[in-house]
Amino acid sequence: ESVTGIGEEAFYHCKFQTITIPERVESIGKEAFRFCESLKSITIPASVKSIGHGAFDMCESLKSITYQGTKAQWKEIELGSFFPTAVVHCTDGDWVRNRKI
């Protein structure tokens, strides 16, 4: 309950298929989930303010991201480069690569 950030390479090469980030987390570190090739979906709370460079790099199966905030809130998140092309499902609609679909 006290975790507010996911560190750099914290889950590097994990075998998880789905992940739900706890609501108190505010940041996801650089390459935190890099090479998590089995990862298909992730739920990110509205509390997240930054997602580090390459956090989801090489997550080939990641096609769906559920963000528990609005499109406007998602747009304000500081995203590192190499963000996946996954659909981001916000509470008020979907986005692909920060473009409305």
Side-chain angles (χ1 to χ4, degrees):
E1 290 183 20
S2 64
V3 174
T4 59
I6 295 174
E8 193 172 305
E9 298 182 1
F11 294 98
Y12 184 92
H13 215 287
C14 72
K15 302 295 182 196
F16 302 131
Q17 290 187 356
T18 62
I19 295 173
T20 299
I21 305 292
E23 290 197 29
R24 294 181 186 225
V25 171
E26 296 177 0
S27 64
I28 298 172
K30 176 183 169 187
E31 299 180 356
F33 295 96
R34 188 169 193 224
F35 280 109
C36 293
E37 296 165 341
S38 299
L39 185 61
K40 294 180 182 178
S41 66
I42 187 165
T43 299
I44 299 173
S47 59
V48 170
K49 304 296 182 223
S50 67
I51 298 175
H53 173 80
F56 300 102
D57 190 26
M58 304 305 290
C59 295
E60 302 292 327
S61 298
L62 183 60
K63 301 296 180 208
S64 179
I65 296 171
T66 299
Y67 175 64
Q68 298 175 322
T70 65
K71 292 183 284 188
Q73 288 172 298
W74 177 257
K75 194 174 180 181
E76 295 300 314
I77 293 176
E78 183 180 323
L79 296 174
S81 60
F82 300 117
F83 199 77
T85 58
V87 174
V88 179
H89 304 285
C90 300
T91 58
D92 60 349
D94 294 345
W95 286 69
V96 174
R97 285 191 175 199
N98 287 340
R99 289 191 315 261
K100 186 177 180 181
I101 61 169

